């Protein structure tokens, strides 16, 4: 017996069975007295409903707002340490102007290894004045920065979620100076 013929027959049988099950009741018209039954939302609907009804950290009041060139603003919503020894900064990069704005290439910094991976926030740094240390955005083994990449332009009033990951300063450090090229620096409280 030809194995490919048998295998093909089983596949055809499985497809036919799934189509017949999926089509059951599709032609039935609802009766006038029938009430629609509540159904569980699909995973996408459930996620959307959950995000719309529950405020997120990004919707909360930002920790700091940095002003940049041509109406760009960076609102930092959180700066959290994790157990692995990292500090993740999350927020929104927005265009507060009434014209489209190109995201400056300087935000990537000037390190060749980072710049070759496109526009990013790879130039961001944290400065611990008390510990006298500067922390740079982490890079993976290929030199890609662990931050939002492929930043191009933002239309008027538009924004995009961004993140940056740094080595975590010591637990005794409760605030740092956050610096991003072309933006004004700001003091950032760490959690």
């Amino acid at each position: 017996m030809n194995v490919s013929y048998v295998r093909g027959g089983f596949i055809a049988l499985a497809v036919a069975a799934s189509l017949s099950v999926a089509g059951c009741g599709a032609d039935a018209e609802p009766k006038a007295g029938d009430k629609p039954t509540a159904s569980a939302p699909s995973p996408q609907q459930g996620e959307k409903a959950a995000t719309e009804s529950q405020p997120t950290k990004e919707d909360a009041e930002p920790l700091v707002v940095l002003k940049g060139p041509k109406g760009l603003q960076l609102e930092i919503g959180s700066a959290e340490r994790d157990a692995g020894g990292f500090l993740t900064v999350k927020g929104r990069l927005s265009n507060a102007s009434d014209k489209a704005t190109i995201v400056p290439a300087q935000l990537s910094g000037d390190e060749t290894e980072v710049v070759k991976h496109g526009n990013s926030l790879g130039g961001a740094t944290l400065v611990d004045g008390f510990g006298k240390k500067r922390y740079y955005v982490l890079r993976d083994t290929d030199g890609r920065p662990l931050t939002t990449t492929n930043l191009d332009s933002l239309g008027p009033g538009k924004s995009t979620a961004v993140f940056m990951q740094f080595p975590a300063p010591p637990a005794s450090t409760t605030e740092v100076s956050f610096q991003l090229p072309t933006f004004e620096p700001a003091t950032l409280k760490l959690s």
Side-chain angles (χ1 to χ4, degrees), residues 109-191:
D110 57 7
E111 292 181 42
T112 307
E113 209 42 47
V114 173
V115 171
K116 77 178 187 181
H117 294 290
N119 277 359
S120 70
L121 300 177
T125 59
L126 301 176
V127 177
D128 175 2
F130 181 75
K132 299 190 182 336
K133 283 191 173 183
R134 179 177 296 235
Y135 298 90
Y136 294 90
V137 170
L138 292 168
R139 281 97 171 128
D140 68 12
T141 55
D142 293 325
R144 285 186 291 269
L146 298 182
T147 180
T148 305
T149 57
N150 298 320
L151 296 169
D152 187 16
S153 64
L154 287 171
K158 299 292 183 187
S159 68
T160 186
V162 295
F163 81 96
M164 293 148 275
Q165 196 166 44
F166 300 89
S172 59
T173 301
T174 57
E175 65 180 36
V176 291
S177 175
F178 178 86
Q179 299 175 353
L180 183 64
T182 73
F183 281 69
E184 58 191 28
T187 300
L188 187 58
K189 298 216 180 277
L190 305 179
S191 61

Side-chain angles (χ1 to χ4, degrees), residues 40-101:
S42 69
Q44 292 88 1
Q45 291 171 334
E47 290 169 11
K48 184 177 180 185
T51 57
E52 288 175 357
S53 63
Q54 299 174 357
T56 62
K57 288 182 182 180
E58 291 173 1
D59 294 335
E61 190 69 27
L63 300 175
V64 295
V65 178
L66 288 79
K67 305 272 186 202
K70 299 179 183 175
L72 286 176
Q73 292 183 156
L74 177 61
E75 296 177 4
I76 297 178
S78 67
E80 298 178 352
R81 291 181 169 96
D82 65 24
F86 304 110
L87 176 84
T88 303
V89 175
K90 294 180 182 177
R92 295 199 74 77
L93 182 64
S94 60
N95 177 5
S97 75
D98 59 353
K99 296 179 182 175
T101 301

